[in-house]
mmCIF file of all heavy atoms in Angstrom:
data_model
loop_
_atom_site.group_PDB
_atom_site.id
_atom_site.type_symbol
_atom_site.label_atom_id
_atom_site.label_comp_id
_atom_site.label_asym_id
_atom_site.label_seq_id
_atom_site.Cartn_x
_atom_site.Cartn_y
_atom_site.Cartn_z
ATOM 1 N N ARG A 11 -78.086 -10.663 -10.548
ATOM 2 C CA ARG A 11 -78.184 -9.828 -9.373
ATOM 3 C C ARG A 11 -78.017 -8.365 -9.689
ATOM 4 O O ARG A 11 -77.161 -7.987 -10.462
ATOM 5 C CB ARG A 11 -77.182 -10.203 -8.272
ATOM 6 C CG ARG A 11 -77.364 -9.400 -6.989
ATOM 7 C CD ARG A 11 -76.110 -9.184 -6.286
ATOM 8 N NE ARG A 11 -75.135 -8.382 -7.052
ATOM 9 C CZ ARG A 11 -75.150 -7.073 -7.101
ATOM 10 N NH1 ARG A 11 -76.017 -6.300 -6.506
ATOM 11 N NH2 ARG A 11 -74.248 -6.441 -7.867
ATOM 12 N N ARG A 12 -78.815 -7.547 -9.135
ATOM 13 C CA ARG A 12 -78.819 -6.113 -9.351
ATOM 14 C C ARG A 12 -79.270 -5.431 -8.098
ATOM 15 O O ARG A 12 -80.212 -5.939 -7.464
ATOM 16 C CB ARG A 12 -79.792 -5.880 -10.491
ATOM 17 C CG ARG A 12 -79.928 -4.593 -11.239
ATOM 18 C CD ARG A 12 -79.004 -3.834 -11.932
ATOM 19 N NE ARG A 12 -78.263 -2.841 -11.136
ATOM 20 C CZ ARG A 12 -78.269 -1.546 -11.241
ATOM 21 N NH1 ARG A 12 -79.068 -1.008 -12.228
ATOM 22 N NH2 ARG A 12 -77.564 -0.765 -10.508
ATOM 23 N N SER A 13 -78.635 -4.368 -7.781
ATOM 24 C CA SER A 13 -79.156 -3.590 -6.586
ATOM 25 C C SER A 13 -80.367 -2.888 -6.899
ATOM 26 O O SER A 13 -80.567 -2.403 -8.052
ATOM 27 C CB SER A 13 -78.081 -2.605 -6.090
ATOM 28 O OG SER A 13 -76.943 -3.294 -5.698
ATOM 29 N N THR A 135 -80.031 -3.921 -1.443
ATOM 30 C CA THR A 135 -78.990 -3.019 -1.823
ATOM 31 C C THR A 135 -78.081 -2.765 -0.611
ATOM 32 O O THR A 135 -78.593 -2.679 0.519
ATOM 33 C CB THR A 135 -79.437 -1.735 -2.466
ATOM 34 O OG1 THR A 135 -78.367 -1.055 -3.031
ATOM 35 C CG2 THR A 135 -80.136 -0.783 -1.467
ATOM 36 N N TRP A 136 -76.810 -2.647 -0.819
ATOM 37 C CA TRP A 136 -75.799 -2.514 0.250
ATOM 38 C C TRP A 136 -75.380 -1.053 0.182
ATOM 39 O O TRP A 136 -74.725 -0.648 -0.829
ATOM 40 C CB TRP A 136 -74.681 -3.478 -0.024
ATOM 41 C CG TRP A 136 -73.413 -3.317 0.763
ATOM 42 C CD1 TRP A 136 -73.083 -2.428 1.708
ATOM 43 C CD2 TRP A 136 -72.267 -4.159 0.570
ATOM 44 N NE1 TRP A 136 -71.829 -2.619 2.220
ATOM 45 C CE2 TRP A 136 -71.260 -3.679 1.467
ATOM 46 C CE3 TRP A 136 -71.913 -5.231 -0.298
ATOM 47 C CZ2 TRP A 136 -69.978 -4.255 1.598
ATOM 48 C CZ3 TRP A 136 -70.650 -5.736 -0.177
ATOM 49 C CH2 TRP A 136 -69.722 -5.302 0.731
ATOM 50 N N ILE A 137 -75.747 -0.276 1.222
ATOM 51 C CA ILE A 137 -75.300 1.118 1.186
ATOM 52 C C ILE A 137 -74.690 1.518 2.531
ATOM 53 O O ILE A 137 -74.847 0.783 3.537
ATOM 54 C CB ILE A 137 -76.485 2.135 0.817
ATOM 55 C CG1 ILE A 137 -77.624 1.981 1.775
ATOM 56 C CG2 ILE A 137 -76.960 1.854 -0.565
ATOM 57 C CD1 ILE A 137 -78.703 3.022 1.593
ATOM 58 N N THR A 138 -74.041 2.627 2.545
ATOM 59 C CA THR A 138 -73.494 3.138 3.768
ATOM 60 C C THR A 138 -74.131 4.515 4.045
ATOM 61 O O THR A 138 -74.686 4.719 5.075
ATOM 62 C CB THR A 138 -71.964 3.221 3.648
ATOM 63 O OG1 THR A 138 -71.585 3.778 2.403
ATOM 64 C CG2 THR A 138 -71.299 1.890 3.916
ATOM 65 N N GLU A 139 -73.931 5.474 3.192
ATOM 66 C CA GLU A 139 -74.330 6.857 3.342
ATOM 67 C C GLU A 139 -73.643 7.537 4.526
ATOM 68 O O GLU A 139 -72.942 6.885 5.288
ATOM 69 C CB GLU A 139 -75.896 6.909 3.428
ATOM 70 C CG GLU A 139 -76.541 6.349 2.172
ATOM 71 C CD GLU A 139 -78.060 6.480 2.060
ATOM 72 O OE1 GLU A 139 -78.742 6.306 3.075
ATOM 73 O OE2 GLU A 139 -78.611 6.748 0.999
ATOM 74 N N THR A 160 -70.058 -1.830 8.065
ATOM 75 C CA THR A 160 -69.648 -2.340 6.784
ATOM 76 C C THR A 160 -70.706 -1.990 5.772
ATOM 77 O O THR A 160 -70.427 -1.688 4.599
ATOM 78 C CB THR A 160 -69.534 -3.858 6.889
ATOM 79 O OG1 THR A 160 -68.505 -4.169 7.834
ATOM 80 C CG2 THR A 160 -69.149 -4.468 5.526
ATOM 81 N N ASP A 174 -80.545 -3.137 -15.813
ATOM 82 C CA ASP A 174 -79.117 -3.385 -15.472
ATOM 83 C C ASP A 174 -78.313 -2.147 -15.788
ATOM 84 O O ASP A 174 -78.765 -1.155 -16.382
ATOM 85 C CB ASP A 174 -78.591 -4.588 -16.263
ATOM 86 C CG ASP A 174 -77.353 -5.214 -15.539
ATOM 87 O OD1 ASP A 174 -77.023 -4.767 -14.404
ATOM 88 O OD2 ASP A 174 -76.806 -6.203 -16.018
ATOM 89 N N ARG A 175 -77.067 -2.122 -15.377
ATOM 90 C CA ARG A 175 -76.197 -1.066 -15.684
ATOM 91 C C ARG A 175 -74.952 -1.750 -16.407
ATOM 92 O O ARG A 175 -74.734 -2.946 -16.240
ATOM 93 C CB ARG A 175 -75.682 -0.317 -14.418
ATOM 94 C CG ARG A 175 -74.837 -1.125 -13.497
ATOM 95 C CD ARG A 175 -74.282 -0.304 -12.346
ATOM 96 N NE ARG A 175 -73.532 -1.094 -11.373
ATOM 97 C CZ ARG A 175 -72.203 -1.273 -11.422
ATOM 98 N NH1 ARG A 175 -71.493 -0.829 -12.456
ATOM 99 N NH2 ARG A 175 -71.617 -2.001 -10.467
ATOM 100 N N ARG A 177 -71.526 -3.267 -17.138
ATOM 101 C CA ARG A 177 -70.553 -3.894 -16.207
ATOM 102 C C ARG A 177 -69.194 -3.772 -16.887
ATOM 103 O O ARG A 177 -69.042 -3.707 -18.053
ATOM 104 C CB ARG A 177 -70.901 -5.380 -16.055
ATOM 105 C CG ARG A 177 -72.293 -5.549 -15.427
ATOM 106 C CD ARG A 177 -72.358 -5.094 -13.994
ATOM 107 N NE ARG A 177 -73.762 -4.955 -13.521
ATOM 108 C CZ ARG A 177 -74.088 -4.674 -12.279
ATOM 109 N NH1 ARG A 177 -73.182 -4.578 -11.311
ATOM 110 N NH2 ARG A 177 -75.372 -4.540 -11.930
HETATM 111 C C1 FMN B 201 -69.251 -0.698 0.946
HETATM 112 C C2 FMN B 201 -70.235 -0.175 -0.030
HETATM 113 C C3 FMN B 201 -70.943 0.959 0.262
HETATM 114 C C4 FMN B 201 -71.878 1.454 -0.668
HETATM 115 N N1 FMN B 201 -72.567 2.615 -0.291
HETATM 116 C C5 FMN B 201 -73.414 3.137 -1.196
HETATM 117 C C6 FMN B 201 -74.154 4.328 -0.869
HETATM 118 O O1 FMN B 201 -74.021 4.878 0.227
HETATM 119 N N2 FMN B 201 -75.022 4.858 -1.786
HETATM 120 C C7 FMN B 201 -75.220 4.244 -2.977
HETATM 121 O O2 FMN B 201 -75.992 4.719 -3.817
HETATM 122 N N3 FMN B 201 -74.553 3.077 -3.352
HETATM 123 C C8 FMN B 201 -73.725 2.537 -2.450
HETATM 124 N N4 FMN B 201 -73.038 1.419 -2.788
HETATM 125 C C9 FMN B 201 -73.219 0.795 -4.129
HETATM 126 C C10 FMN B 201 -74.488 -0.087 -4.216
HETATM 127 O O3 FMN B 201 -74.358 -1.171 -3.312
HETATM 128 C C11 FMN B 201 -74.567 -0.775 -5.609
HETATM 129 O O4 FMN B 201 -73.438 -1.539 -5.921
HETATM 130 C C12 FMN B 201 -74.787 0.242 -6.760
HETATM 131 O O5 FMN B 201 -76.053 0.809 -6.513
HETATM 132 C C13 FMN B 201 -74.799 -0.380 -8.135
HETATM 133 O O6 FMN B 201 -75.684 -1.398 -8.269
HETATM 134 P P1 FMN B 201 -75.295 -2.900 -8.636
HETATM 135 O O7 FMN B 201 -75.012 -3.610 -7.344
HETATM 136 O O8 FMN B 201 -76.489 -3.489 -9.299
HETATM 137 O O9 FMN B 201 -74.107 -2.841 -9.482
HETATM 138 C C14 FMN B 201 -72.101 0.837 -1.887
HETATM 139 C C15 FMN B 201 -71.406 -0.334 -2.154
HETATM 140 C C16 FMN B 201 -70.527 -0.816 -1.297
HETATM 141 C C17 FMN B 201 -69.732 -2.122 -1.619
#
Side-chain angles (χ1 to χ4, degrees):
R11 184 211 62 83
R12 187 58 270 245
S13 297
T135 193
W136 169 0
I137 59 173
T138 43
E139 300 184 322
T160 300
D174 205 3
R175 68 173 175 92
R177 302 290 164 173

